[in-house]
Amino acid sequence: MASISQGDVLSQSWLWFPGMEIQLSFLLDGLSLLFALLITGIRTFILLYANRYLQGHPALRRLFLFLLTFMGAMLGLVLADNLITLFVFWELTTVSSFMLIGFNHENAESRQKAHQGLMVTVIGGLALMTGSYYVRLCCRQLRTIRNTTTRFNRPRTLSAMLILILLGAFTKSAQTPFHFWLPNAMAAPTPVSAYLHSATMVKAANLLNSPGYNLAWAIVPPGC
């Protein structure tokens, strides 16, 4: 952690699909470390809270499994160093949040709210995937985008790329007009609502579009 605070960067990659040369790549720098500490720190308090709040609940272990799956997906998202890795973990947060919101699956309202959140975030994920495809034509690694001082110079696709990426961010972070799914997620048990509302999945979109991450900022025309 001391080396990261001094500006060093750690990276690791694994070959996932050799035939397609697809890698799972991860990078740890100051920004991703901040979000990783945020995710794991809040997770610790949520697990302690859930253990007391749902003490004796027959499905407590299932809740812990879903919470840990969600946390792992969030960590993979903030540490992702290529667009494929980013999208995989982006969608894993969607699936795991669906399982968390629908934890009380015997309740019709919980199932309805879970499906609502799933539909909104999946649509945003598809928009992000399409926008990321155009970005990937220019930059394979996210660190290239983060460190670039140049701008994409394809005016015909520029607006579409920006809109698609922002659409993915707005749906994930429950921004207007896609804000309705997050309050409805309170149909889940209170510890789940606390985790979803705190600073985890909602902040993933803020990370994606932050100047330090530079995914959306890299395609904004100069002077804007």
Side-chain angles (χ1 to χ4, degrees), residues 1-72:
M1 189 177 295
S3 61
I4 298 297
S5 64
Q6 295 174 1
D8 293 339
V9 174
L10 303 178
S11 62
Q12 182 67 53
S13 297
W14 291 274
L15 192 61
W16 191 17
F17 288 102
M20 301 179 65
E21 298 184 356
I22 294 177
Q23 293 184 336
L24 284 178
S25 301
F26 300 94
L27 177 140
L28 183 66
D29 58 7
L31 183 63
S32 57
L33 177 62
L34 172 64
F35 276 83
L37 292 175
L38 187 67
I39 293 165
T40 53
I42 293 176
R43 183 284 315 262
T44 301
F45 291 110
I46 291 297
L47 289 180
L48 293 174
Y49 174 47
N51 187 54
R52 293 285 295 175
Y53 186 85
L54 296 173
Q55 189 172 15
H57 194 288
L60 182 59
R61 292 184 179 180
R62 177 160 57 91
L63 177 65
F64 282 171
L65 174 62
F66 292 166
L67 284 172
L68 290 173
T69 301
F70 180 79
M71 184 207 70

Side-chain angles (χ1 to χ4, degrees), residues 70-102:
F70 180 79
M71 184 207 70
M74 280 298 308
L75 284 175
L77 194 160
V78 301
L79 298 176
D81 190 34
N82 65 37
L83 292 168
I84 292 179
T85 305
L86 172 70
F87 180 74
V88 167
F89 284 101
W90 184 276
E91 290 306 303
L92 280 177
T93 63
T94 297
V95 174
S96 55
S97 64
F98 167 73
M99 295 187 294
L100 285 169
I101 298 171

Side-chain angles (χ1 to χ4, degrees), residues 137-216:
L137 294 178
C138 304
C139 300
R140 185 177 296 269
Q141 298 293 112
L142 282 177
R143 77 183 75 175
T144 306
I145 302 174
R146 297 183 201 180
N147 298 330
T148 186
T149 57
T150 61
R151 303 289 180 177
F152 296 115
N153 55 1
R154 300 182 180 181
R156 293 184 179 180
T157 59
L158 183 66
S159 298
M161 290 166 63
L162 184 60
I163 291 172
L164 289 169
I165 291 174
L166 290 178
L167 180 61
F170 271 46
T171 54
K172 184 71 78 174
S173 59
Q175 300 297 315
T176 304
F178 308 104
H179 60 285
F180 55 87
W181 75 263
L182 190 57
N184 291 338
M186 295 183 71
T190 302
V192 172
S193 299
Y195 204 22
L196 293 177
H197 284 75
S198 55
T200 50
M201 187 170 76
V202 174
K203 295 298 182 288
N206 298 338
L207 169 69
L208 183 70
N209 291 327
S210 65
Y213 206 76
N214 214 23
L215 182 55

